[in-house]
Amino acid sequence: MNETQYQMDLLKAMNQNLSTRDRMYRMICEMTGGAFLYLDAYKNDLVTIGDFVSFFDFEIKVKRDLERIYEIVDEPYVMPLRELISLDKSGKEKAMLECLTRKKKTWLQFQALANYDEQGKLVGKVIGILDITKYKLQAEELNYYSFYDVITGLYNRNYFVRLLGEFVQKAKNAQKRVSVMMIDIDDFHKVNDGLGMVYGDELIQQFGSFLKDFCSENVIACHLNSDVYCIAIYDPKGNYSVQEIHNAITERLKRPFVLGSQQSASITVTIGVAEYPDAAKTALDLINCAEIVALKGRSYGRDAFLYFDQPILKEFMRSLDLESKLKDAIHRNQFELYYQPQYYCGNKKLRGMEALIRFRESDNKMISPSIFIPIAEKNGDIIPIGNWVMEEAIRQYAEWQVMYGSRFILSINISASQFLQEDFVDRLFMALKQHKVNPYFIELEMTESILIEDFDNVCEKMKSLQEMGIRISLDDFGTGFSSLSYLKKLPINTLKIDKSFIDTVLTDSTTRIITESIIGMVKSLGFESVAEGVEEEQQYKYLHAIGCDVIQGYLLGKPLSVTDVEKLLRSQTR
Ligand code: C2E
Ligand code: MG
Ligand code: MG
């Protein structure tokens, strides 16, 4: 091989080697999806690899072309990008910059890696360019959801608490007030159950966007959860005050919300208000106080508007305390049953006894069922409590039957959720069978609230119980929706007229008219009427005169302990 041939082979081998490397670099570049350029500081020119056209709509061949890159990025990025690309300054070895493009609004990431010789002089720079628009949008979206609520576009709970914290701090420094309104849609579950979740969400969204219109520098709103919203007002005054916002909400709610193309929903809301510094001193405490007031408002029914005050907080703390005591009481057997006699009007013979639960706290203090039963109904404890009452009353009744040959009616109060339990009928009949008590002696007292749940189903269940001999009594009539017209549809045996009627029956002519028509209606339907809470002889005489069948009240007998009932039963057998 001569020298020339050798040189040629060597060159060919080097060329081949080069084109392999070149191919490899291009492939790597393709894999990263980026474009790269190398700026040679000695020669002051550049080399490129990658698909520059897809980034810039133009080619970069010579250094002058770099100027065109600066033209397409948004103004604030031009100088930093010049610095990153420049060969003039020795600068940092590595640098990165994310730039927004002017027209396309895409995001480009520029990375620079500089190379220096032993004397520290710049040899060259590699600039890598990547389109990061997709990642930027994802990050923006993530960022959005960390501040905003998906359904309503209002602030989410966390961010709202942070902003409210800032309001409170500002108010503290400037000696101003901050109002917090907790807004809860009444009976929202009815919309969700009746129209479905999609319309439910639409309602949440529409009401949320209505509330959004109140937002300003000093007013913030959030979707707290499900059907609950919260508004905070810094330095409330003028149009931006609780009263004004409440008025605007009331005005809006006079019109229904149109959902989808053909549904609509009319709603009312319950609002609880707590203010800094009177109610609480921190954002979370303010929200809690407003929530407690809204909860209290809910117990009044629909459309309530309430301001926080200390008695509400006290009552709430008491109910929390009671809730934990109730849980203990179930295990510790701290419940007792009292029995209140019911007498036939006229002959005053014993008609029955109503079992009434009593809860004795460890310090022997009695707590009224009117206080703890609603709490137990809310937290579900009414199920074990109600089951205990039913079983214990039947056991006790069986004992009295054996001891005294009693044949009176035993009335047991049953809560709606207890009655709706699947095993309710089985439990009742198991207890009757175990204690050998005839169902004809048992009466279940239920309030009208049970009929709100599922009228047809409840009536069916009542009917089947009646067929098995159980009596059904409608308790506290007159306190619920009390429509006389629906009475005829109800499978009941007894109707108990609430004490509130009896209290004023002698003094108020309207009450008298209503009471007389109730008793007339009950008679014509063939039910039995019981007047509750009769305390005076005059009331008794009047009720007897208008044809009331049965009297229950302090006048003829207070609720009695087991020992006292036994005294009464003994005196009757004599
Ligand atoms: P209710 O079923 O309407 O019971 C009648 C209530 O009126 C009883 O109050 C009774 O003591 C009271 N009362 C009767 N006559 C008079 C009177 O002449 N004057 C006055 N001032 N009050 C009278 P109590 O025992 O405090 O029970 C209150 C409510 O608690 C009951 O009203 C009932 O709704 C509920 N309750 C009681 N025991 C049970 C139970 O075992 N289960 C369920 N679910 N609820 C119960
Ligand atoms: Mg009752
Ligand atoms: Mg009652």
Side-chain angles (χ1 to χ4, degrees):
M1 193 189 288
N2 61 30
E3 181 61 17
T4 326
Q5 183 66 39
Y6 170 75
Q7 289 294 343
M8 276 176 66
D9 284 352
L10 188 64
L11 253 169
K12 204 168 152 191
M14 280 170 73
N15 259 346
Q16 240 168 19
N17 200 11
L18 257 178
S19 62
T20 308
R21 273 170 187 272
D22 195 42
R23 214 175 316 138
M24 190 178 86
Y25 288 143
R26 279 176 204 287
M27 282 167 77
I28 291 173
C29 179
E30 222 168 90
M31 264 168 72
T32 61
F36 297 86
L37 50 94
Y38 179 72
L39 298 163
D40 191 321
Y42 291 156
K43 294 188 199 153
N44 202 21
D45 67 4
L46 58 79
V47 184
T48 62
I49 327 179
D51 184 12
F52 274 84
V53 181
S54 72
F55 287 97
F56 301 129
D57 298 334
F58 53 84
E59 283 191 70
I60 296 180
K61 287 198 171 140
V62 289
K63 243 189 116 192
R64 212 179 35 238
D65 296 335
L66 289 175
E67 285 303 312
R68 303 193 58 185
I69 298 183
Y70 307 130
E71 284 165 17
I72 66 153
V73 297
D74 238 356
E75 183 55 37
Y77 303 101
V78 176
M79 277 313 288
L81 186 60
R82 274 187 188 281
E83 230 167 79
L84 181 130
I85 293 179
S86 145
L87 287 172
D88 302 339
K89 291 186 186 165
S90 51
K92 280 186 257 162
E93 198 183 333
K94 277 183 181 172
M96 195 182 76
L97 184 70
E98 291 174 352
C99 304
L100 182 66
T101 60
R102 266 175 222 222
K103 281 194 189 139
K104 288 193 189 166
K105 297 293 172 204
T106 52
W107 281 93
L108 297 179
Q109 183 191 65
F110 292 84
Q111 280 197 67
L113 180 63
N115 187 12
Y116 301 94
D117 64 13
E118 278 153 15
Q119 280 79 47
K121 223 173 130 210
L122 184 67
V123 178
K125 234 181 199 181
V126 175
I127 310 286
I129 307 163
L130 264 181
D131 185 338
I132 54 161
T133 312
K134 198 170 94 188
Y135 308 107
K136 270 289 205 199
L137 289 179
Q138 278 171 353
E140 261 171 33
E141 198 174 346
L142 274 177
N143 200 27
Y144 178 86
Y145 290 131
S146 60
F147 296 118
Y148 295 94
D149 165 63
V150 193
I151 303 181
T152 58
L154 294 172
Y155 291 133
N156 63 26
R157 184 188 180 106
N158 286 349
Y159 193 53
F160 178 81
V161 173
R162 211 168 98 192
L163 294 180
L164 177 57
E166 288 170 16
F167 271 10
V168 169
Q169 192 53 46
K170 211 162 76 167
K172 200 171 172 181
N173 298 337
Q175 308 223 323
K176 301 277 186 200
R177 285 183 307 130
V178 179
S179 306
V180 174
M181 301 170 78
M182 182 78 58
I183 305 162
D184 186 345
I185 300 180
D186 299 323
D187 297 329
F188 173 69
H189 67 99
K190 283 192 185 156
V191 178
N192 243 0
D193 297 348
L195 302 177
M197 266 172 68
V198 174
Y199 288 125
D201 278 359
E202 198 176 332
L203 175 65
I204 295 289
Q205 186 271 322
Q206 283 192 30
F207 187 58
S209 69
F210 164 71
L211 295 182
K212 206 173 185 177
D213 289 345
F214 295 115
C215 292
S216 68
E217 200 190 335
N218 286 346
V219 181
I220 51 173
C222 89
H223 179 211
L224 208 63
N225 57 52
S226 163
D227 56 342
V228 185
Y229 305 79
C230 208
I231 290 184
I233 314 163
Y234 172 79
D235 189 19
K237 59 185 169 209
N239 277 344
Y240 298 110
S241 65
V242 169
Q243 206 48 54
E244 282 305 309
I245 292 181
H246 179 215
N247 290 345
I249 292 174
T250 310
E251 204 48 43
R252 170 63 188 90
L253 298 190
K254 284 181 184 163
R255 288 179 289 117
F257 287 89
V258 179
L259 309 173
S261 54
Q262 38 190 312
Q263 298 289 355
S264 73
S266 291
I267 56 164
T268 55
V269 294
T270 289
I271 301 178
V273 184
E275 287 190 333
Y276 170 87
D278 307 340
K281 307 270 189 288
T282 68
L284 277 178
D285 285 352
L286 274 171
I287 292 176
N288 282 341
C289 287
E291 203 161 10
I292 291 168
V293 191
L295 252 168
K296 172 82 188 162
R298 241 200 264 162
S299 68
Y300 293 149
R302 308 164 65 92
D303 210 7
F305 175 79
L306 245 78
Y307 271 93
F308 177 88
D309 62 16
Q310 286 305 322
I312 291 183
L313 182 64
K314 239 181 174 169
E315 188 192 316
F316 177 74
M317 299 312 282
R318 168 89 180 128
S319 81
L320 274 191
D321 179 48
L322 213 66
E323 212 169 318
S324 74
K325 280 183 177 150
L326 275 180
K327 290 220 182 295
D328 267 7
I330 298 171
H331 305 296
R332 289 205 212 154
N333 225 350
Q334 281 176 299
F335 295 114
E336 277 173 54
L337 286 183
Y338 270 51
Y339 297 84
Q340 187 175 27
Q342 302 163 336
Y343 295 96
Y344 287 111
C345 252
N347 64 16
K348 291 195 184 166
K349 271 194 168 165
L350 184 69
R351 179 257 188 193
M353 295 266 189
E354 178 178 3
L356 294 162
I357 192 168
R358 296 291 176 259
F359 171 34
R360 207 181 283 279
E361 275 190 282
S362 20
D363 56 5
N364 225 14
K365 211 170 84 197
M366 285 276 209
I367 301 177
S368 161
S370 323
I371 293 174
F372 72 82
I373 292 283
I375 294 174
E377 275 172 346
K378 243 185 247 164
N379 71 12
D381 283 345
I382 191 65
I383 307 297
I385 294 175
N387 286 339
W388 177 83
V389 170
M390 190 165 78
E391 283 154 17
E392 171 58 16
I394 291 173
R395 186 204 63 75
Q396 182 62 75
Y397 183 77
E399 202 178 294
W400 287 334
Q401 277 200 322
V402 173
M403 285 165 70
Y404 308 103
S406 311
R407 293 181 66 78
F408 57 81
I409 293 167
L410 172 68
S411 301
I412 305 170
N413 289 288
I414 305 290
S415 284
S417 51
Q418 189 188 355
F419 185 71
L420 294 171
Q421 290 290 300
E422 257 179 39
D423 65 349
F424 174 75
V425 178
D426 288 347
R427 269 185 180 274
L428 170 61
F429 277 86
M430 234 156 65
L432 293 174
K433 198 169 156 200
Q434 186 190 347
H435 299 291
K436 301 190 185 66
V437 172
N438 192 323
Y440 287 94
F441 294 116
I442 302 298
E443 181 170 72
L444 304 181
E445 284 193 15
M446 285 172 269
T447 59
E448 287 163 285
S449 64
I450 203 164
L451 300 162
I452 297 169
E453 299 295 332
D454 182 351
F455 192 88
D456 293 336
N457 248 337
V458 168
C459 286
E460 268 314 299
K461 205 164 177 176
M462 285 177 168
K463 243 184 241 159
S464 65
L465 280 166
Q466 277 182 327
E467 279 158 17
M468 294 189 271
I470 303 279
R471 302 170 65 90
I472 307 287
S473 169
L474 192 61
D475 201 358
D476 300 347
F477 188 79
T479 55
F481 44 88
S482 309
S483 148
L484 282 179
S485 60
Y486 85 102
L487 271 185
K488 53 178 170 288
K489 292 191 203 143
L490 289 184
I492 57 166
N493 306 79
T494 312
L495 182 135
K496 296 186 80 172
I497 304 165
D498 192 66
K499 181 177 181 299
S500 54
F501 277 82
I502 311 306
D503 284 345
T504 54
V505 83
L506 296 179
T507 50
D508 182 54
S509 59
T510 317
T511 312
R512 220 163 28 240
I513 294 167
I514 298 173
T515 311
E516 284 172 24
S517 37
I518 294 174
I519 288 179
M521 182 88 173
V522 166
K523 259 201 189 335
S524 70
L525 291 169
F527 308 150
E528 202 179 20
S529 53
V530 178
E532 293 189 87
V534 179
E535 294 180 344
E536 296 165 19
E537 188 63 33
Q538 283 306 98
Q539 291 168 337
Y540 168 75
K541 281 191 176 140
Y542 166 74
L543 290 162
H544 182 35
I546 63 168
C548 179
D549 300 308
V550 178
I551 296 292
Q552 178 179 346
Y554 291 179
L555 175 72
L556 299 182
K558 286 194 168 184
L560 305 170
S561 66
V562 169
T563 321
D564 288 337
V565 173
E566 290 177 355
K567 267 189 215 156
L568 177 82
L569 294 178
R570 265 199 300 274
S571 74
Q572 292 213 327
T573 48
R574 256 184 247 136

